[in-house]
Amino acid sequence: MRLNRSKIMDTHKLLRIISKWSNTPETKILSGACDVEDIGDGYVNNVWRIRSRENPDMSVVVKHAEPYLKFLGSDTPLTVDRINMEFCALSKFDELHPGCVPKPLVLDDENNLVIMEDLRDYKTMRKALVAGEFHMGAVKKIAETMAILHRKTHRKCVSEVQFEELLNRFQNDEMLSLLDRYLFTYPLLPYHKANQYSDEVKAQLPRIHGDQILQENASKIRARHIAMKQCLVHGDFHTEAVMVKNDSIKGANEVGSREGNMLKLWFETY
């Protein structure tokens, strides 16, 4: 894995870099004047919407990896290979179940970025639920998508050679380790520097850290999270990792939502 100390991406540099990828129908807008909108409020990567000034209905999304963890800054190095993994994951999901993710358009490995379909008419499932919007059709689509991906990648449904190929390609140790630390380890350590607490939660910390049953259960879940390798899954699945438009859904964790892994995939329990 490479640790690339690239400079922070600014708007002018971004537009200059992506203009060279304007040779497809989906990305031809990049050859003209474009506006850049920062839509990334997640923890790991930068995300921008690139919109044509001539035709504002035409846009793409660019996701860019800096060589560190975004929400902790440059003192927390993180290899930029994750952007290659994301592009491969998007491509694989789209191959297995077309349309279930934003369509991947370009991988610029040299500049640590991917260009993909813009889901501008979608919103995160979390925002929809908070707004009181609930579409049973979308829930059924999620279940259907999970079932299809499970069937097409489960070790009992593919050959040993196919399974080994998937396992080797999506052995995302770095992001698995990141989630292990920030979901299963640090939150259970008293007053770890990576933790931030509201006053309400802070008052409950002695009970949380002293609850032996909670600690044991968390340890069991952590062990399964790390050890189980059964099928290809979304490694950070939650309501901000699902984009919805009425009954239509697309698995994501990037466009205008919490990134951090967006489609960072690996083999995991299900």
Side-chain angles (χ1 to χ4, degrees):
M1 287 188 175
R2 63 190 185 283
L3 189 60
N4 180 15
R5 294 287 183 181
S6 65
K7 295 181 179 179
I8 295 175
M9 185 74 71
D10 60 45
T11 298
H12 297 295
K13 181 180 178 182
L14 173 65
L15 289 174
R16 185 173 67 253
I17 289 172
I18 63 177
S19 64
K20 68 180 180 181
W21 299 108
S22 60
N23 56 347
T24 70
E26 295 93 344
T27 59
K28 64 181 181 180
I29 66 167
L30 301 178
S31 63
C34 294
D35 291 318
V36 178
E37 177 187 0
D38 186 344
I39 58 173
D41 60 353
Y43 291 164
V44 180
N45 298 311
N46 302 311
V47 186
W48 299 281
R49 172 175 289 121
I50 313 299
R51 191 190 301 270
S52 168
R53 289 182 185 172
E54 181 179 352
N55 187 351
D57 291 333
M58 298 183 65
S59 60
V60 294
V61 161
V62 175
K63 191 167 189 177
H64 171 252
E66 296 285 1
Y68 52 78
L69 192 57
K70 177 181 170 182
F71 82 109
L72 290 180
S74 58
D75 291 336
T76 311
L78 193 65
T79 66
V80 295
D81 291 299
R82 64 189 186 273
I83 210 72
N84 184 294
M85 174 68 74
E86 175 161 0
F87 185 83
C88 291
L90 284 167
S91 300
K92 189 62 179 179
F93 262 152
D94 197 47
E95 172 194 332
L96 294 169
H97 188 34
C100 73
V101 294
K103 185 175 180 59
L105 303 174
V106 172
L107 169 63
D108 186 338
D109 196 46
E110 179 183 356
N111 292 293
N112 316 323
L113 62 82
V114 296
I115 303 174
M116 65 185 77
E117 173 191 5
D118 183 9
L119 303 181
R120 57 185 174 274
D121 296 328
Y122 285 68
K123 64 178 69 173
T124 66
M125 177 171 275
R126 178 182 179 183
K127 289 182 179 178
L129 292 174
V130 169
E133 303 171 13
F134 181 81
H135 299 278
M136 183 54 70
V139 176
K140 291 179 179 179
K141 287 284 181 62
I142 294 173
E144 178 185 79
T145 298
M146 293 175 69
I148 290 172
L149 296 175
H150 179 275
R151 184 179 70 247
K152 290 187 175 182
T153 64
H154 195 276
R155 66 187 312 160
K156 292 184 178 180
C157 301
V158 299
S159 70
E160 290 186 12
V161 173
Q162 290 173 319
F163 184 77
E164 284 300 318
E165 288 176 350
L166 285 170
L167 183 61
N168 292 332
R169 182 64 194 88
F170 293 101
Q171 193 68 33
N172 200 345
D173 293 334
E174 182 180 47
M175 297 312 301
L176 185 60
S177 173
L178 187 67
L179 282 183
D180 175 39
R181 284 178 281 140
Y182 285 93
L183 288 183
F184 295 105
T185 304
Y186 297 160
L188 297 178
L189 296 178
Y191 305 105
H192 190 278
K193 63 180 182 180
N195 298 331
Q196 297 182 14
Y197 311 105
S198 66
D199 291 338
E200 292 81 359
V201 171
K202 191 176 295 185
Q204 300 299 321
L205 289 180
R207 292 181 59 191
I208 295 172
H209 295 144
D211 190 326
Q212 190 61 34
I213 295 177
L214 173 64
Q215 297 282 344
E216 291 175 357
N217 287 339
S219 180
K220 291 177 182 178
I221 295 172
R222 175 179 179 268
R224 287 179 59 85
H225 173 75
I226 294 174
M228 292 291 286
K229 302 181 189 301
Q230 300 290 338
C231 62
L232 194 60
V233 298
H234 189 299
D236 188 26
F237 200 65
H238 48 78
T239 54
E240 286 196 347
V242 180
M243 307 297 292
V244 297
K245 184 176 71 172
N246 300 323
D247 288 345
S248 175
I249 68 104
K250 289 182 184 285
N253 199 8
E254 64 264 14
V255 185
S257 66
R258 256 177 106 138
E259 326 148 297
N261 40 54
M262 48 282 124
L263 296 171
K264 289 184 181 76
L265 307 184
W266 50 85
F267 280 86
E268 187 185 21
T269 185
Y270 56 90

